[in-house]
Amino acid sequence: MDRRTYTFVVASAAFLFFYLSLRAVVAPPQPEQAPLAEQAAEVAEATDDNAAATAPVAPTSEEVLGGGDAETEEEGIQSTKGATKWFTIGSMDPADKHNLLITFRNQGGAIERIEITTRNEEGRFAYRRVDTRSGYLGYFAGRANAEIDGVTVNVVGPGTPAALAVATSGEKGIEVGDVIVAIGETPISSVDDIQESLVTTKPGDTVTVEVVRNGQTAKTLLFEAKLTEHPLDLIRLADYGGEDEIPGNLSRLSCLVTLAQVGRKEIPIGERSLQTLADPETQMWTASQQTGDDGSETIRFETTIGSKALQPIGGEAVRMTRSFTLNPQSYVVDMDVEVINLGETAQNLALRLEGPNGITPEGWWYSNKISPNFSGAAARDVVYRTTADGHSLVSGMTLLKEARNDPKDPNYAIFASDSGEAGRDLNYIGVDAQYFAVAFMPPEEKTSLGAYDRASATIVADESDVEKHKERAINVSYFLNGKTIEVPPGQAFGQSLRMYAGPKEPELLEQYGIGDFVYYGWFSFFSSLLSGLLHILQSIVGNYAVAIVLLTVIVRGCMFPLSRNAAVNAQRMQELAPEMKKIAEKYKDDMEGRLKAQQALQKRVGFNPLAGCLPMFLQLPIFMGLYRALSVDIDLRQKPLWSPNGWASNLAAPDQFMYWGDWMPEFIAGRGTGWLGPYLNILPIFVVVLFITQQKLFMPPATDEQTAMTQKVMTIMTLFMGLFFFRVPAGLCIYFIASSMWGIGERLLVKKTLPKGKHFDLDADGEVIDAVATKKSGNGKKTLTEKLLDQVNQKTPEAPVAPPSKRKRPPNKKKR
């Protein structure tokens, strides 16, 4: 045997030995796993209704798409290494009839993004982003490419413009793995460049996308993509939030899951995982997808936490699986989580399920949510219902305050294991925004989640980085700790629930038992009534702005008799002004005598000064009800004054006539930090001008310095009120404008219907008397006006007050 042959044989034997040794460490022999699968098939039913013991189901017809090993190559602790991949369920294609497009990531095995893709009758998105008017190409979960200048595409949602794009060479659709190097004339080197390249585009525009596609030989493709509107990204990472996001909010996946307890070891207070386990967002999962015959789509994740990770806390290896199922035309996602004991002894195990975060905070700098709490609400709040507390709201501002007061324990406890049964009877829990919500609900046909021993609300932010005046946009979430269950070896336990992710439409929410998410406040009766009438009018005229005007006319028309009575009362007050002035001069140094004399005069002539205030008191609940109806009603969102892409294209937001945030000072145009906001709004200016016009036209001339000063103060207050009204929704401004114009016309009309003669005469003794009360119509009956006045002005005779000089002093009573 020559030297070369000898060297080859020795090297081959050494390599074979090294390979077998490495395989034994990295991949344990498969025959040892078979008995566990057989044991898991014979699971016992858990005692808790929601802790169903089931065996793991291996994917059959579905496609296995990616994931991580059962244990890391070096330490065998848990799956934290491997290729990060993205997956989707749902679609943006109208033909698929899906309401949602959900993006997942296998590193974390959870939700990264949810887009609402519902279409209206015109084929447009029923709910789109309102903070941008540029075109939309798609969400790519892009990362800067390490080899060439460009952004690697990691996901392409079905039905997105990127998926429907066609290359000049015939290829259809941008694919995962493509590198976008240019859009139009703009070179792309970072994720931000993609958005910047589309800023000047509009929905319907066609752009050229240059990509490099890797294969055996890399080639460059030029795609033509037709842009659409931006669908509403209901859940998004803070990194993709745009101008509505604030510094301090964290980008974190939603609905993460991990072990809350192993044996007697629980997750420490203020932490998100057991000390021996990695952050749940770094856990690697394998993924498989399946499509049902009914069009439903399911994604299933599976991962293993090895024994080396659990032995330090007295545990053994476990396998976790979870699945998400979405049906067409639904906003509900069915979620199932299962844990299998791979050890040789029984283990006490519990799950922790984190809630959604990154809910859209759209318009946080101008929107004003109505809260059942005195402390108010933020742009995102945690809401829940238990039997003990009923429907409750935990404001994001409260959560931020808790985190700043105690950074080591930033969580706000909703209930704990030692709470009463009613306190732990959880009907739902979710994150609530202005017009949208994401909530966990019980499985169908159940009214309580019931499988949890602890619930807490928390912020998903670094509280030290959140700037003052931007706290309302704080990112919030919650977590649920499941009940501890003893799981025999080879057996499993699981939890099932549903997640609603969609608009706050009252009828839709009522179907799922979460109708309390829509809250009108104290004047809910008027709000519901006026909101229903508004929808009826809109169905007739086809435009919400016109419907608001018609609703204003109807409301003010019904209140015309009261307004006329107030005008009559004002005229009578003006006629009495000289007599009141005489009394004031007569009792210059006697305040008590002046008041009694004025009251005696008013009663003698049948004048009630509070009658003029009656219409105002009656208008208050109607005004507040209409205000809250316009503030809460999602149907006004993205409904235009006339043009869907022009000025005042969203009646639920300020009209945004012109953007001035790039040149106005921060204290004026800052988002949250400025007095007025980043846009010049002209509808509030019209409102203030009309208010001042009303004052000038109908305010009686000042008779003294005090009255003149009062009128000046009222004018200044009206101007200041314009500052507070500057960011109110355009729909509410339309109401104010219509109401003010009606008020001006009404006062001019009322002047023509007022009694021609004076309301007061002098009797034989020169005393002022009620002239209207002494006159009757020709047939001896009172007129309608006289009857109304008699009802409001009920006189009680009172002796006239004598001057101070003629008053009798009470006799002195000496103490005995």
Side-chain angles (χ1 to χ4, degrees):
M1 183 181 293
D2 60 11
R3 183 182 301 176
R4 289 184 179 180
T5 304
Y6 178 78
T7 303
F8 175 76
V9 172
V10 173
S12 298
F15 178 78
L16 180 62
F17 177 77
F18 175 76
Y19 171 76
L20 294 176
S21 300
L22 182 64
R23 183 182 178 188
V25 174
V26 175
Q30 294 299 321
E32 296 181 9
Q33 297 294 331
L36 291 175
E38 295 175 2
Q39 294 176 17
E42 301 175 357
V43 292
E45 186 175 355
T47 55
D48 189 88
D49 292 339
N50 290 318
T54 58
V57 180
T60 53
S61 60
E62 66 264 32
E63 182 183 2
V64 179
L65 300 172
D69 296 329
E71 297 179 343
T72 62
E73 296 180 0
E74 298 179 357
E75 301 180 8
I77 296 178
Q78 64 181 109
S79 309
T80 57
K81 294 183 179 180
T84 303
K85 297 183 179 181
W86 285 259
F87 315 94
T88 64
I89 61 174
S91 175
M92 196 173 290
D93 189 345
D96 294 333
K97 298 182 180 180
H98 272 290
N99 290 342
L100 301 175
L101 173 59
I102 309 177
T103 302
F104 300 86
R105 195 172 74 200
N106 71 329
Q107 186 180 18
I111 295 172
E112 179 168 303
R113 185 180 178 91
I114 295 181
E115 295 170 285
I116 298 183
T117 59
T118 312
R119 305 277 179 163
N120 58 23
E121 297 177 355
E122 301 172 354
R124 301 178 60 192
F125 289 123
Y127 308 102
R128 59 175 176 81
R129 282 184 62 170
V130 295
D131 58 345
T132 179
R133 297 175 184 173
S134 61
Y136 180 69
L137 182 60
Y139 177 69
F140 303 112
R143 299 292 186 272
N145 191 275
E147 299 178 358
I148 62 175
D149 287 338
V151 172
T152 302
V153 175
N154 288 312
V155 67
V156 179
T160 60
L164 301 178
V166 178
T168 54
S169 55
E171 289 87 345
K172 184 177 180 181
I174 298 173
E175 299 178 354
V176 174
D178 289 348
V179 180
I180 300 176
V181 296
I183 297 179
E185 301 296 328
T186 306
I188 302 299
S189 59
S190 66
V191 177
D192 292 337
D193 291 340
I194 296 178
Q195 185 60 34
E196 290 295 329
S197 66
L198 301 174
V199 167
T200 59
T201 63
K202 295 182 297 183
D205 291 350
T206 299
V207 298
T208 301
V209 183
E210 181 181 351
V211 305
V212 174
R213 179 165 292 176
N214 292 324
Q216 292 182 351
T217 57
K219 59 180 179 180
T220 300
L221 300 175
L222 294 178
F223 285 91
E224 297 293 324
K226 186 177 181 180
L227 305 179
T228 65
E229 296 174 317
H230 280 259
L232 179 74
D233 41 358
L234 176 57
I235 288 181
R236 63 192 182 204
L237 299 178
D239 294 340
Y240 291 86
E243 293 183 342
D244 262 341
E245 283 295 345
I246 63 169
N249 283 341
L250 302 179
S251 285
R252 181 183 296 170
L253 298 183
S254 293
C255 307
L256 291 161
V257 67
T258 188
L259 292 175
Q261 180 175 344
V262 175
R264 295 184 178 182
K265 189 65 176 179
E266 298 182 12
I267 295 178
I269 293 176
E271 301 294 331
R272 297 180 52 234
S273 62
L274 292 167
Q275 293 176 347
T276 60
L277 300 186
D279 187 302
E281 202 165 20
T282 64
Q283 178 82 21
M284 277 293 182
W285 303 65
T286 57
S288 58
Q289 287 187 266
Q290 187 175 18
T291 301
D293 296 335
D294 57 353
S296 63
E297 297 185 21
T298 300
I299 184 168
R300 182 176 181 273
F301 292 99
E302 180 177 313
T303 191
T304 299
I305 301 179
S307 58
K308 289 187 179 180
L310 298 177
Q311 279 179 352
I313 54 176
E316 299 183 74
V318 299
R319 178 180 296 128
M320 294 194 298
T321 63
R322 65 182 318 194
S323 64
F324 300 84
T325 301
L326 177 65
N327 292 295
Q329 298 180 324
S330 175
Y331 295 105
V332 174
V333 180
D334 294 313
M335 300 193 302
D336 296 285
V337 184
E338 183 182 71
V339 180
I340 307 167
N341 181 6
L342 301 180
E344 299 179 355
T345 59
Q347 298 191 74
N348 290 325
L349 301 173
L351 283 170
R352 168 171 288 192
L353 179 60
E354 294 187 5
N357 74 89
I359 313 302
T360 173
E362 66 172 37
W364 64 268
W365 51 274
Y366 65 77
S367 62
N368 185 20
K369 280 178 58 180
I370 300 170
S371 169
N373 303 336
F374 180 77
S375 58
R380 295 177 276 208
D381 308 296
V382 174
V383 293
Y384 66 93
R385 172 180 282 277
T386 62
T387 303
D389 297 339
H391 178 79
S392 302
L393 180 145
V394 184
S395 171
M397 302 284 288
T398 300
L399 296 176
L400 179 59
K401 183 178 179 180
E402 290 283 334
R404 285 175 172 170
N405 290 339
D406 189 1
K408 294 183 179 180
D409 183 14
N411 303 322
Y412 181 96
I414 295 175
F415 62 79
S417 57
D418 57 353
S419 301
E421 183 177 349
R424 290 183 286 110
D425 186 18
L426 185 64
N427 303 119
Y428 57 75
I429 183 170
V431 179
D432 176 58
Q434 178 80 1
Y435 295 109
F436 300 90
V438 183
F440 288 173
M441 309 177 299
E444 195 171 2
E445 298 180 356
K446 291 188 178 181
T447 59
S448 175
L449 286 164
Y452 300 98
D453 269 348
R454 182 184 176 191
S456 294
T458 185
I459 62 171
V460 185
D462 186 344
E463 68 278 358
S464 61
D465 292 338
V466 179
E467 301 175 10
K468 190 177 181 180
H469 304 302
K470 293 185 178 181
E471 295 93 341
R472 291 191 67 249
I474 191 73
N475 190 11
V476 303
S477 186
Y478 53 88
F479 65 83
L480 302 172
N481 282 7
K483 294 180 179 179
T484 303
I485 297 175
E486 184 178 357
V487 185
Q491 296 189 3
F493 79 98
Q495 295 172 357
S496 299
L497 68 158
R498 295 184 299 169
M499 180 178 70
Y500 175 85
K504 291 166 59 175
E505 295 182 357
E507 296 181 359
L508 186 61
L509 298 180
E510 289 292 345
Q511 296 178 13
Y512 301 107
I514 54 177
D516 289 334
F517 275 62
V518 177
Y519 180 74
Y520 290 112
W522 293 347
F523 304 100
S524 58
F525 171 78
F526 293 98
S527 297
S528 302
L529 179 65
L530 295 174
S531 180
L533 180 58
L534 178 64
H535 293 165
I536 294 174
L537 294 173
Q538 189 276 337
S539 64
I540 297 174
V541 300
N543 183 284
Y544 269 102
V546 177
I548 291 173
V549 174
L550 294 179
L551 179 63
T552 306
V553 171
I554 292 174
V555 172
R556 293 299 302 268
C558 292
M559 300 182 65
F560 177 77
L562 294 175
S563 299
R564 183 185 181 280
N565 189 31
V568 171
N569 202 69
Q571 185 182 32
R572 300 177 72 190
M573 181 182 296
Q574 191 172 355
E575 291 182 22
L576 275 181
E579 296 298 325
M580 300 291 278
K581 188 175 181 180
K582 292 179 181 179
I583 294 175
E585 293 177 352
K586 186 175 182 180
Y587 296 92
K588 185 182 303 183
D589 300 326
D590 187 1
M591 180 63 70
E592 181 182 357
R594 184 195 309 174
L595 292 176
K596 289 185 177 180
Q598 289 176 346
Q599 291 174 0
L601 172 64
Q602 291 169 356
K603 290 182 179 181
R604 185 169 65 250
V605 300
F607 175 73
N608 185 359
L610 296 179
C613 302
L614 180 62
M616 295 180 61
F617 285 114
L618 292 179
Q619 287 185 53
L620 180 61
I622 296 176
F623 164 75
M624 291 301 299
L626 183 59
Y627 168 74
R628 293 189 168 180
L630 298 180
S631 300
V632 172
D633 197 339
I634 191 174
D635 288 331
L636 288 177
R637 185 185 176 275
Q638 75 190 41
K639 295 301 188 298
L641 183 61
W642 60 68
S643 172
N645 295 315
W647 168 66
S649 60
N650 181 13
L651 293 178
D655 61 89
Q656 301 180 7
F657 177 71
M658 181 183 71
Y659 183 78
W660 61 10
D662 51 357
W663 56 272
M664 287 292 283
E666 176 74 15
F667 74 92
I668 292 179
R671 290 175 180 261
T673 58
W675 288 358
L676 304 181
Y679 292 91
L680 169 64
N681 307 312
I682 59 175
L683 287 180
I685 297 175
F686 291 155
V687 172
V688 174
V689 169
L690 287 172
F691 282 176
I692 294 177
T693 301
Q694 278 186 292
Q695 289 183 1
K696 297 298 182 183
L697 286 177
F698 306 118
M699 189 176 293
T703 56
D704 51 34
E705 294 182 0
Q706 183 178 1
T707 306
M709 180 60 68
T710 302
Q711 294 180 359
K712 289 180 181 179
V713 170
M714 291 180 64
T715 302
I716 295 175
M717 289 180 63
T718 303
L719 292 175
F720 271 102
M721 187 172 60
L723 296 178
F724 294 106
F725 277 31
F726 198 78
R727 290 180 290 182
V728 301
L732 194 61
C733 286
I734 292 174
Y735 163 75
F736 285 137
I737 292 172
S739 181
S740 296
M741 294 182 67
W742 172 277
I744 292 174
E746 181 182 71
R747 292 297 295 270
L748 295 176
L749 177 64
V750 165
K751 277 188 174 181
K752 298 181 179 180
T753 64
L754 292 177
K756 300 298 181 181
K758 292 184 177 182
H759 288 84
F760 308 110
D761 287 330
L762 298 177
D763 59 9
D765 297 330
E767 297 289 344
V768 179
I769 60 173
D770 187 351
V772 176
T774 58
K775 297 178 181 179
K776 299 288 186 0
S777 58
N779 56 6
K781 297 181 179 179
K782 292 184 178 181
T783 64
L784 177 60
T785 301
E786 294 168 353
K787 292 179 180 179
L788 289 174
L789 290 175
D790 288 345
Q791 291 294 325
V792 177
N793 307 318
Q794 297 182 2
K795 297 182 291 183
T796 56
E798 183 175 319
V801 180
S805 59
K806 297 183 179 181
R807 291 184 195 170
K808 293 183 179 180
R809 297 183 179 180
N812 294 329
K813 295 183 179 180
K814 297 182 179 180
K815 295 182 180 180
R816 297 181 180 178

